[in-house]
Amino acid sequence: MTILSEKTPSPAVMGVINATPDSFSDGGRFIDPGNALSQARAMVEAGVDWVDIGGESTRPGATPVPLQEELDRVCPVIEAIHRELDVPISLDTSAPEVMREGARLGISMINDVRSLEREGAVAAARDTGLAVCIMHRQGEPETMQDRPEYSNVLEEVLGYLDRRAAQLQDAGIPGDRLLYDPGFGFGKTLEHNLVLLENLEAIVARGWPVLVGMSRKSMIGGVTGRPVEERMAGSVAAAAMAMMKGAAIVRVHDVKETVDAARMVRAAREQGSLRA
Ligand SMILES: Nc1nc2ncc(COP(=O)(O)OP(=O)(O)O)nc2c(=O)[nH]1
């Protein structure tokens, strides 16, 4: 995967900066570009490999954001981080116009929880030449957690990602620009999420870099009983498990702690390969 090999180690840590008023765990903190830049700077100082900028919450129950409002939220943040910091930026959006503007402003990856399914998104992503993370979800944020059901969640997630990757390659997006994401929390019960985490190797085995986002989500709370603001340890543990199972990027809020976990995984993997 050229974009990943060129820009970051594996596993890599992606810091979440939501320029939104309503994101489930950091909503409102980074809607001001100055605050977002300060957060990005702190993440870079903590060793982050990517920052992920989002202007629309996709938490369960969230409603879509008008295009201009999403542009107004993310563009100043992208411009400031691209100007002031040396860190690859991924843009968390489903809107083709936002993808194109983000590419113009210097992002390195499109992170679309809707896998380029919106009108014009495939062409936009293709034209930018950027890496594209595609993600499985069942339903839309407004209702996806009402009654998630699968006959076999792992097979259905893999089936969707494989079909979508084939469609996008047929549409002219080279396969070496794609990343897979199983979509933790996007139309899944706690049990579904845990099956996907425990079997992550099967997703990694498909051959595309795998990006996972479990940080502070309800699956962490469901297992630990912790409220959102106390889910750092559980989130780092889940990220460590994913990295040990072969995830290429972990998308997290608690960067400093997760960078330490990533460094442990990389060190053991490198030393282990030397057969000391
Ligand atoms: N690739 C990818 N992108 C994602 N974007 C948003 C969220 C939701 O988490 P967050 O951004 O912290 O909350 P909100 O959607 O409320 O902004 N999760 C993922 C994920 O699991 N994978």
Side-chain angles (χ1 to χ4, degrees):
M1 176 66 189
T2 51
I3 194 74
L4 292 190
S5 55
E6 282 161 15
K7 289 192 180 289
T8 62
S10 181
V13 177
M14 173 183 277
V16 181
I17 299 179
N18 286 307
T20 65
D22 58 344
S23 288
F24 80 92
S25 78
D26 61 355
R29 289 183 55 201
F30 309 120
I31 199 138
D32 171 76
N35 293 342
L37 177 60
S38 299
Q39 178 71 347
R41 184 172 283 115
M43 288 179 165
V44 169
E45 286 165 4
V48 83
D49 301 299
W50 288 86
V51 292
D52 186 51
I53 309 299
E56 175 190 50
S57 172
T58 49
R59 75 188 182 289
T63 53
V65 168
L67 172 61
Q68 192 55 51
E69 186 169 343
E70 186 178 357
L71 286 165
D72 293 345
R73 288 177 180 180
V74 299
C75 292
V77 174
I78 294 167
E79 280 180 309
I81 293 172
H82 187 62
R83 182 180 62 245
E84 302 290 334
L85 301 173
D86 180 20
V87 62
I89 300 169
S90 76
L91 176 53
D92 191 343
T93 186
S94 299
E97 301 88 344
V98 181
M99 294 173 189
R100 291 183 186 279
E101 186 61 13
R104 193 182 66 79
L105 295 174
I107 65 170
S108 297
M109 182 191 300
I110 292 166
N111 172 25
D112 183 4
V113 300
R114 295 180 180 87
S115 301
L116 305 180
E117 288 178 7
R118 279 204 183 143
E119 182 70 29
V122 174
R126 183 182 54 225
D127 294 350
T128 65
L130 297 175
V132 180
C133 180
I134 60 174
M135 192 192 81
H136 173 273
R137 78 196 188 288
Q138 188 180 80
E140 285 297 326
E142 297 96 320
T143 57
M144 64 188 176
Q145 289 306 115
D146 291 353
R147 275 171 40 79
E149 283 185 352
Y150 300 84
S151 54
N152 179 313
V153 63
L154 178 62
E155 285 179 7
E156 291 184 48
V157 166
L158 281 172
Y160 169 80
L161 291 169
D162 290 346
R163 282 192 305 278
R164 194 57 182 152
Q167 290 164 354
L168 295 178
Q169 291 175 88
D170 290 347
I173 296 180
D176 66 359
R177 286 177 30 205
L178 296 177
L179 294 87
Y180 272 17
D181 183 333
F184 288 102
F186 285 84
K188 281 101 177 174
T189 63
L190 172 60
E191 292 71 22
H192 295 141
N193 288 316
L194 294 175
V195 166
L196 291 171
L197 175 54
E198 180 58 14
N199 293 282
L200 199 70
E201 293 97 333
I203 302 174
V204 171
R206 286 306 213 256
W208 273 281
V210 173
L211 188 156
V212 299
M214 295 176 280
S215 179
R216 299 185 185 172
K217 288 187 177 176
S218 62
M219 66 181 283
I220 309 294
V223 171
T224 63
R226 304 288 186 194
V228 172
E229 63 277 7
E230 294 178 24
R231 292 178 186 166
M232 185 268 284
S235 299
V236 173
M241 286 175 66
M243 290 187 283
M244 291 168 71
K245 289 172 177 285
I249 300 180
V250 290
R251 180 182 179 277
V252 303
H253 303 83
D254 302 295
V255 165
K256 173 171 161 284
E257 296 80 4
T258 311
V259 165
D260 283 355
R263 286 171 177 166
M264 290 304 298
V265 172
R266 290 180 210 146
R269 197 170 282 169
E270 283 156 19
Q271 188 60 48
S273 65
L274 301 177
R275 295 278 184 274

